[in-house]
Amino acid sequence: MPSPRFFKDKICPVRAKRERRKEARPGELLEAALDLFVDKGFAATRSEEVAARAGVSKGTLFLYFPSKEELFKAVVVENLSGRFSEWNKEFEAFEGSTSEMLRYCMRIWWERVGSTKASGLTKLMLSEGRNFPELAEFYRREVVHPGHTLLRRILRRGVDSGEFAPIDVDHAIYAVIAPMIFLMLWKHSNSVCVDSESAIDPATYIELQAELVLHGLQAAHKAKT
Amino acid sequence: MPSPRFFKDKICPVRAKRERRKEARPGELLEAALDLFVDKGFAATRSEEVAARAGVSKGTLFLYFPSKEELFKAVVVENLSGRFSEWNKEFEAFEGSTSEMLRYCMRIWWERVGSTKASGLTKLMLSEGRNFPELAEFYRREVVHPGHTLLRRILRRGVDSGEFAPIDVDHAIYAVIAPMIFLMLWKHSNSVCVDSESAIDPATYIELQAELVLHGLQAAHKAKT
Amino acid sequence: MPSPRFFKDKICPVRAKRERRKEARPGELLEAALDLFVDKGFAATRSEEVAARAGVSKGTLFLYFPSKEELFKAVVVENLSGRFSEWNKEFEAFEGSTSEMLRYCMRIWWERVGSTKASGLTKLMLSEGRNFPELAEFYRREVVHPGHTLLRRILRRGVDSGEFAPIDVDHAIYAVIAPMIFLMLWKHSNSVCVDSESAIDPATYIELQAELVLHGLQAAHKAKT
Amino acid sequence: MPSPRFFKDKICPVRAKRERRKEARPGELLEAALDLFVDKGFAATRSEEVAARAGVSKGTLFLYFPSKEELFKAVVVENLSGRFSEWNKEFEAFEGSTSEMLRYCMRIWWERVGSTKASGLTKLMLSEGRNFPELAEFYRREVVHPGHTLLRRILRRGVDSGEFAPIDVDHAIYAVIAPMIFLMLWKHSNSVCVDSESAIDPATYIELQAELVLHGLQAAHKAKT
DNA sequence: AATGAATGAGAGTTCATTCAT
DNA sequence: CATGAATGAACTCTCATTCAT
C-alpha cells in the first residue's frame, strides 16, 4: 500500500532521535532553509523539504513562519541583517588608520560572510530578486542599505581625516563592494562559468582588491594635492 | 504566499487575429523569450507569456519550439553561441599587438553582448543553472567553452610573442572574464545591490579592468626578465 | 531557423510525385485513415498524420471530411457496411445446402474481412466504442445490424428447410459470430495476450468452428427427432 | 468534433471536505480507478475524475500514486497479478484428475475474474496496449506470463500423467485462453456487437468450451494410441 | 504544539479544427 | 481547391498552504 510520496524523490527527516528541543526548532528550520535556499534558490526550494531537513513536519514549518517568504526574511535577518549592530559597534570601536580599517573590513567580510553559506543569499537575491519584489525590497532595506551605510561611514572617516581624497563617497562604495560580490558569485556558481578548477584564491583576491581600492583612494588624493 | 504569478503583467496577445507570419515568427518568439527570460528567469517565465508577447497564442509557440527548454537553447544560440564563428574570424584577422587585441576584445564584448539583453542569459545561467542541468550543460558547451577557447587563444598569442609573461593561460582567463561577469550582474540586478543610481560607468570600468589585467600580464613578464 | 514541427516526430507526406488525381483523394485519405485507425485506435490517431500519409495537408482532410468522426464513419462505410448489399445478393443467389452456405459464409468472411485490415475496425469499436457513443451507434446501425440480419436469414433458411433444428435463431447467431470476433482480436492484439508466436492458424480455426457450429445446429435437430 | 470529454459525467467530489482517511484512500482510489479505466479506457480516463469518484481532489490522487501510469499498474496488481500466488497454491494443492482441474480452473476464472470488473483490464490492454508500451510490457510480465505459466503447468501435468495426449503444451494454452478472452470482450462491449440482450450465458459457455477443449486434448491422445 | 492528509490554482504540452492566403 | 499557420480547450502533474486530528 503506497504511502504518500512513496514513489517521489525521497524527502525524509534527518534527525533520527527524539531529542528535539522545542526552543531549538526555529533555529533548526532557519539552518535547513539557509542550506536549501542557497543550494537551489528560493522558488525551487520546496517548503516540505525545508521541514524534512529540519526534522519536523510541513505543518510545523508554517507554525513558526507564516509563509515561505517570511521564512526567507527570517533567514536573512539571522544570517545578515541581524549582525549589523554588532559590526557597527566593532567599527565604531576600531582604532587605527582608515586604510587598515578598510582592509580589515574586507578581510573579515570574507571570513564571516563571503566564505560562508550566508553569501549565497546575496547571490540568490541577485538571481531571483526580480521575481519576488517584496523580498527584494526587504533585502535592500535590511542588508544593502545598512551595509552601504557602514561602508559610507568608513570612507567618510578616511576623507574627513585627510587619509583619502575628497571623493564622492557614494560612488566609491561600489569600488569596495564590486569585488566582494564577484567573489560570492564565483563561489556559488562554479559549475556554470568555470571550466577548470580553482582559478581564484579568494583570500588573495580580497587582499589584492583591497590594495587596489586603497591605492585608488589615496592616489586620487595625491593627484589632487 | 503571493506566488510569482501574482506580480505578472496581464497576458494578452498584441497582434491581430490569425495573422500569418511564418517567416517572422521564430524571430519574434525568440525576441520575446529573450526579454522575458532575462527579466524573470527561466523557471518564472511562463510559456504562454512568451507567446502573448510575441503576439501569438500558446499553441503557436509549441509549433516552432518543441519545449520551453528548446526555446531557451534557441535563444542562447541566436544571441550568443551562434556568433562565435564570426568573432573567431574577427580575431584571426586582427593585426596589432596582443595588448590591443585584448583591450579591443573586452571593449567590443561590452558593446555587443554585455550592454545588451543577451548578457542577461549569463546571469540567468548563474542563477538557475543548478535547477536545469541540461540547460547548464548546453550553455557550458555552447557558450562557456567557446568563449574560453577564444580567450585562451588570445592570451597564448601574447605569451608566444613574448608580449606577456609565460603565465598559466588557463588561470589568466579568469582575470579577464571576472570583471565582465561582474558587470553583467551589476546591470541585471541593479535594484538589489545598489542604493543610488548608476554608480558605475560600464565603459570606464571595462577600460580600467583591461589596463589592470594587461598591467598584471606584462608586470609578471618584466618581473621574470 | 526552426520550421513548424521541426523537432517533433516527423510527419511527412508519403507521396513524392505530383501525380495526385483529384478524384482519388478521398480514397487515399480513407486508406490512410483505415491504416492508422487500425494501428493506433481512433482517439490516438492524429488527423494530421492521416493527411500526411495520404500525401495531402491537414486542411485538405477537413475539406473532404468535416470531422475526424465523419472520417471514421466513411472508413466504416467503405470497408464494411457498404459491402453488405453485394454480400446480400451473393447469398440470395446461393444454391446449395444451408450447411454449405454457412460454411461458405464463415470462410469468405475470413478471406474478405477477417484477414484484412478492415477487421481492425471491429476491434476498434470493441475497444473505444464506449468513449465515442455516436460512432458506436453508427457502427451498430450500419454494420452489426445488417450483419446479424444476413446471418439470421441464413439460419432461418436452414431451420425452414428442416436442415437445422428449430432453434432460437437470434441466439444461435452468436455461436457463429463469437469465433470470428475472437479471431479478429487475436489478429490485432498479438503482442498483448500472446507469449509465443502463431499459436493459431486462422483458416483451420474457422473451418473447425464452422463444423462445430453446424454439428450443434444439426445435433439439436437430431436430438429432437 | 465533440471530444470524448463531451460525454463525460460531471466531476464532483462526493465526500465531505478535508476528511482524513489515510488508511482507506489507496483502496478507494484503486477502486475508482478500476471502475473508470474499465468503463472508459486508460487514455480517456482523466485523473481528476478518478479522484473525484474516490471523493478527493486531484492533488490527493498524486499524493498516493505518482502518475496515471503507476496508478494503472497498482490497479493491475491489486486486481490481477497480486492474486497469482494464491491461485498457484490452490492449484498445487489440487487433488483429482487434470481434467477436473482444468474444468475447475476455467470455472473459477470466470467467477473470480471474468465476471468481475477486473476482466475489463484485459480488454483495456487489448485495446490500448499499443499506445502505452510500458503498460503493455508491465501487463505481459505481471499478468500474461504468470497466467500462461500456471496453465502450462496444468496442461503438462495432464500430459505427464498420460491423461492428455503429448501435445505441444505452449500451443494448447491458447485453446484454453481464447474462449475466456472472448467472453471478457463480450461482457465489456455488449453495446457494440450485440443486437439483442444477453444472447450468451457465460457460465454455460465456459462449461461448453471446457468440454470442447478437454475433448480435443483427450481425442488427440486416443488418436495416437 | 505538532502532524501530515488534503486542497486547488497553475504550469507545460497536445491536437482537432479553423481560416487567411 | 489546397495549404499549413494559428488557435485554445483539455490534460497531467506540482506545491504552498490549510486544517482536522
Side-chain angles (χ1 to χ4, degrees):
Chain A
M1 201 73 73
S3 86
R5 299 209 76 82
F6 184 73
F7 306 97
K8 308 242 162 139
D9 312 347
K10 273 138 219 150
I11 296 179
C12 42
V14 161
R15 202 168 309 280
K17 313 200 169 182
R18 284 280 146 192
E19 38 110 5
R20 307 181 200 155
R21 301 130 301 175
K22 271 187 190 176
E23 309 80 42
R25 286 280 164 69
E28 289 164 355
L29 283 163
L30 289 171
E31 200 189 322
L34 175 63
D35 286 355
L36 288 166
F37 284 150
V38 167
D39 193 33
K40 315 185 152 201
F42 179 76
T45 293
R46 291 169 40 198
S47 27
E48 182 167 14
E49 223 173 335
V50 174
R53 178 182 276 241
V56 301
S57 77
K58 220 177 347 177
T60 304
L61 170 61
F62 286 91
L63 215 58
Y64 288 94
F65 304 96
S67 74
K68 204 180 162 187
E69 296 217 342
E70 290 304 322
L71 172 62
F72 181 80
K73 290 183 188 172
V75 169
V76 168
V77 169
E78 174 82 5
N79 292 281
L80 296 174
S81 61
R83 302 169 64 185
F84 272 109
S85 73
E86 173 200 347
W87 292 335
N88 283 332
K89 273 185 209 137
E90 195 168 342
F91 281 92
E92 269 155 28
F94 193 91
E95 295 179 4
S97 75
T98 307
S99 296
E100 278 166 16
M101 199 171 171
L102 192 63
R103 225 180 264 118
Y104 176 71
C105 176
M106 291 177 76
R107 199 179 291 140
I108 71 162
W109 172 84
W110 175 251
E111 278 168 24
R112 301 194 196 159
V113 178
S115 66
T116 72
K117 282 176 294 188
S119 59
L121 296 173
T122 300
K123 184 220 153 194
L124 192 158
M125 286 315 306
L126 288 171
S127 310
E128 302 186 74
R130 287 241 173 107
N131 301 130
F132 301 94
E134 199 196 320
L135 293 186
E137 177 50 30
F138 178 85
Y139 185 83
R140 254 190 312 273
R141 191 172 60 242
E142 301 291 322
V143 180
V144 177
H145 188 70
H148 282 209
T149 302
L150 175 53
L151 260 183
R152 193 176 294 115
R153 207 172 289 161
I154 296 177
L155 293 178
R156 193 170 308 285
R157 182 183 189 264
V159 171
D160 290 349
S161 73
E163 209 175 339
F164 297 164
I167 36 128
D168 176 347
V169 169
D170 287 332
H171 278 190
I173 283 174
Y174 296 103
V176 182
I177 290 172
M180 307 201 291
I181 288 182
F182 176 74
L183 253 194
M184 276 184 327
L185 274 149
W186 193 266
K187 181 168 138 53
H188 291 283
S189 316
N190 275 342
S191 52
V192 172
C193 63
V194 172
D195 249 7
S196 50
E197 282 302 314
S198 66
I200 282 184
D201 171 56
T204 312
Y205 181 82
I206 284 284
E207 297 300 329
L208 200 78
Q209 293 293 329
E211 289 319 308
L212 217 65
V213 167
L214 286 171
H215 183 74
L217 292 171
Q218 291 156 359
H221 186 44
K222 287 168 196 163
K224 285 212 172 174
T225 52
Chain B
M1 184 195 75
S3 83
R5 214 35 221 87
F6 188 77
F7 306 99
K8 278 174 188 151
D9 326 339
K10 270 137 221 154
I11 295 176
C12 46
V14 163
R15 214 178 302 285
K17 229 184 160 187
R18 286 203 165 253
E19 196 176 338
R20 288 165 72 92
R21 323 196 61 234
K22 188 194 175 183
E23 308 295 292
R25 282 284 182 257
E28 291 164 357
L29 285 163
L30 288 172
E31 202 190 321
L34 176 62
D35 286 355
L36 288 165
F37 284 150
V38 165
D39 192 33
K40 314 184 159 215
F42 179 76
T45 294
R46 294 185 301 139
S47 21
E48 184 166 14
E49 220 173 342
V50 174
R53 178 182 279 240
V56 301
S57 75
K58 205 170 20 166
T60 303
L61 170 60
F62 288 93
L63 216 54
Y64 290 91
F65 304 95
S67 72
K68 202 182 166 188
E69 296 220 341
E70 290 303 323
L71 172 62
F72 181 79
K73 290 182 187 173
V75 168
V76 168
V77 170
E78 177 80 4
N79 291 283
L80 294 175
S81 62
R83 302 168 63 183
F84 272 109
S85 74
E86 172 202 347
W87 291 334
N88 283 331
K89 272 186 209 134
E90 195 167 343
F91 281 92
E92 268 157 28
F94 193 92
E95 294 179 6
S97 74
T98 307
S99 296
E100 279 166 16
M101 199 170 172
L102 193 62
R103 223 178 267 119
Y104 177 69
C105 176
M106 292 177 76
R107 200 179 292 140
I108 69 162
W109 171 84
W110 175 251
E111 278 169 23
R112 301 193 195 161
V113 178
S115 67
T116 71
K117 281 177 295 188
S119 59
L121 296 173
T122 299
K123 183 217 150 194
L124 190 158
M125 287 315 308
L126 288 172
S127 314
E128 302 189 76
R130 286 225 180 122
N131 301 130
F132 301 94
E134 199 196 318
L135 294 186
E137 175 52 29
F138 179 84
Y139 186 82
R140 256 193 307 276
R141 191 173 59 243
E142 301 291 321
V143 179
V144 176
H145 189 69
H148 283 208
T149 302
L150 175 53
L151 260 183
R152 193 178 292 118
R153 209 173 287 163
I154 296 177
L155 292 179
R156 195 171 305 284
R157 181 184 191 262
V159 172
D160 289 349
S161 73
E163 208 174 337
F164 296 163
I167 36 127
D168 178 346
V169 169
D170 287 331
H171 279 189
I173 284 176
Y174 295 103
V176 182
I177 290 173
M180 306 201 290
I181 287 180
F182 176 74
L183 253 195
M184 277 184 325
L185 273 149
W186 192 265
K187 180 168 139 52
H188 290 284
S189 316
N190 275 342
S191 50
V192 172
C193 61
V194 172
D195 244 9
S196 48
E197 279 306 311
S198 66
I200 282 184
D201 171 55
T204 312
Y205 181 83
I206 283 284
E207 295 301 328
L208 199 77
Q209 293 293 329
E211 288 320 308
L212 217 66
V213 167
L214 285 172
H215 183 73
L217 291 171
Q218 290 158 358
H221 186 43
K222 286 168 196 163
K224 284 213 171 175
T225 52
Chain C
M1 200 72 73
S3 86
R5 300 209 76 83
F6 183 72
F7 305 96
K8 310 242 163 141
D9 310 347
K10 274 138 220 148
I11 295 181
C12 43
V14 161
R15 204 167 309 281
K17 315 200 169 181
R18 285 279 145 191
E19 37 110 5
R20 307 183 200 155
R21 300 129 299 176
K22 272 186 192 179
E23 309 78 42
R25 286 281 166 70
E28 289 164 355
L29 284 164
L30 289 171
E31 202 189 321
L34 176 61
D35 286 355
L36 288 166
F37 284 151
V38 166
D39 193 33
K40 315 185 151 201
F42 178 76
T45 293
R46 290 171 38 196
S47 27
E48 182 166 16
E49 222 173 338
V50 173
R53 178 181 277 241
V56 300
S57 76
K58 222 176 348 176
T60 305
L61 170 60
F62 286 91
L63 215 57
Y64 288 95
F65 305 96
S67 74
K68 202 179 164 190
E69 294 219 342
E70 290 304 321
L71 172 61
F72 182 79
K73 290 182 189 174
V75 169
V76 168
V77 169
E78 176 82 4
N79 291 280
L80 294 175
S81 62
R83 302 168 66 183
F84 272 110
S85 74
E86 173 202 348
W87 290 335
N88 283 332
K89 273 185 208 137
E90 196 168 341
F91 282 92
E92 268 158 26
F94 193 92
E95 294 179 4
S97 74
T98 307
S99 296
E100 279 165 14
M101 199 170 170
L102 192 63
R103 222 178 266 119
Y104 177 72
C105 175
M106 291 176 76
R107 199 179 291 141
I108 70 161
W109 171 84
W110 175 250
E111 279 168 20
R112 299 191 196 162
V113 178
S115 67
T116 72
K117 281 177 295 190
S119 60
L121 297 173
T122 300
K123 183 220 153 193
L124 192 159
M125 288 315 306
L126 288 171
S127 310
E128 302 188 75
R130 286 239 174 112
N131 301 129
F132 300 94
E134 199 196 318
L135 293 185
E137 177 52 29
F138 178 84
Y139 184 83
R140 257 191 310 273
R141 190 172 63 243
E142 300 293 320
V143 180
V144 177
H145 188 69
H148 282 208
T149 303
L150 175 52
L151 259 183
R152 194 177 293 115
R153 206 172 290 160
I154 296 177
L155 292 179
R156 193 170 309 284
R157 181 184 190 262
V159 172
D160 289 351
S161 74
E163 208 175 339
F164 296 163
I167 38 133
D168 176 348
V169 170
D170 286 332
H171 279 189
I173 283 175
Y174 295 103
V176 181
I177 289 172
M180 307 202 292
I181 287 182
F182 177 76
L183 253 194
M184 276 184 327
L185 274 150
W186 192 264
K187 181 166 138 53
H188 291 283
S189 315
N190 275 342
S191 52
V192 173
C193 63
V194 172
D195 248 7
S196 49
E197 282 303 313
S198 67
I200 283 184
D201 172 56
T204 312
Y205 181 82
I206 284 285
E207 296 300 327
L208 200 78
Q209 292 293 330
E211 287 320 308
L212 218 65
V213 167
L214 286 172
H215 183 75
L217 292 171
Q218 290 156 0
H221 187 45
K222 284 168 196 163
K224 285 214 169 173
T225 50
Chain D
M1 186 195 73
S3 81
R5 220 23 226 86
F6 188 76
F7 307 98
K8 277 173 191 152
D9 324 338
K10 269 135 222 153
I11 296 175
C12 46
V14 163
R15 214 177 303 284
K17 230 183 162 188
R18 286 203 165 251
E19 197 176 340
R20 288 165 71 92
R21 323 195 62 235
K22 189 195 174 185
E23 307 296 290
R25 283 284 183 259
E28 290 164 358
L29 285 162
L30 288 172
E31 202 189 321
L34 175 62
D35 285 356
L36 287 165
F37 284 150
V38 166
D39 192 32
K40 315 185 157 209
F42 179 76
T45 294
R46 293 185 302 140
S47 21
E48 186 166 13
E49 219 174 343
V50 174
R53 177 181 279 241
V56 300
S57 75
K58 204 173 20 167
T60 302
L61 170 61
F62 288 95
L63 214 55
Y64 290 92
F65 304 95
S67 73
K68 201 182 166 189
E69 295 219 343
E70 291 302 323
L71 172 62
F72 181 80
K73 289 183 189 174
V75 168
V76 168
V77 169
E78 176 82 3
N79 292 281
L80 295 175
S81 63
R83 303 169 63 185
F84 271 109
S85 74
E86 172 202 347
W87 291 334
N88 283 331
K89 273 185 209 138
E90 195 169 342
F91 280 92
E92 267 156 29
F94 193 92
E95 293 179 5
S97 74
T98 307
S99 296
E100 279 166 16
M101 199 170 170
L102 192 63
R103 223 178 266 119
Y104 177 71
C105 175
M106 293 177 74
R107 200 178 292 141
I108 71 160
W109 171 84
W110 175 251
E111 278 169 23
R112 299 190 196 164
V113 178
S115 66
T116 72
K117 280 177 295 190
S119 58
L121 296 173
T122 299
K123 182 217 150 193
L124 190 159
M125 287 315 307
L126 288 171
S127 311
E128 302 188 76
R130 285 225 181 124
N131 301 129
F132 301 93
E134 200 196 318
L135 294 185
E137 176 52 30
F138 179 84
Y139 186 83
R140 257 194 306 275
R141 190 173 59 245
E142 300 290 320
V143 179
V144 176
H145 188 70
H148 282 207
T149 301
L150 176 53
L151 260 184
R152 194 178 293 117
R153 206 172 288 162
I154 297 177
L155 292 178
R156 194 170 306 285
R157 182 184 190 263
V159 171
D160 290 349
S161 73
E163 211 175 337
F164 295 164
I167 37 128
D168 177 347
V169 168
D170 287 331
H171 279 190
I173 283 175
Y174 296 102
V176 181
I177 289 171
M180 308 202 290
I181 288 180
F182 176 74
L183 253 193
M184 277 184 325
L185 273 148
W186 192 265
K187 181 168 138 53
H188 291 282
S189 316
N190 276 341
S191 50
V192 173
C193 63
V194 172
D195 245 8
S196 48
E197 281 305 312
S198 66
I200 283 184
D201 171 55
T204 311
Y205 181 82
I206 283 285
E207 296 299 328
L208 199 77
Q209 292 293 330
E211 288 319 309
L212 218 65
V213 167
L214 285 172
H215 183 74
L217 292 171
Q218 291 157 358
H221 186 44
K222 285 168 195 161
K224 285 214 169 173
T225 51

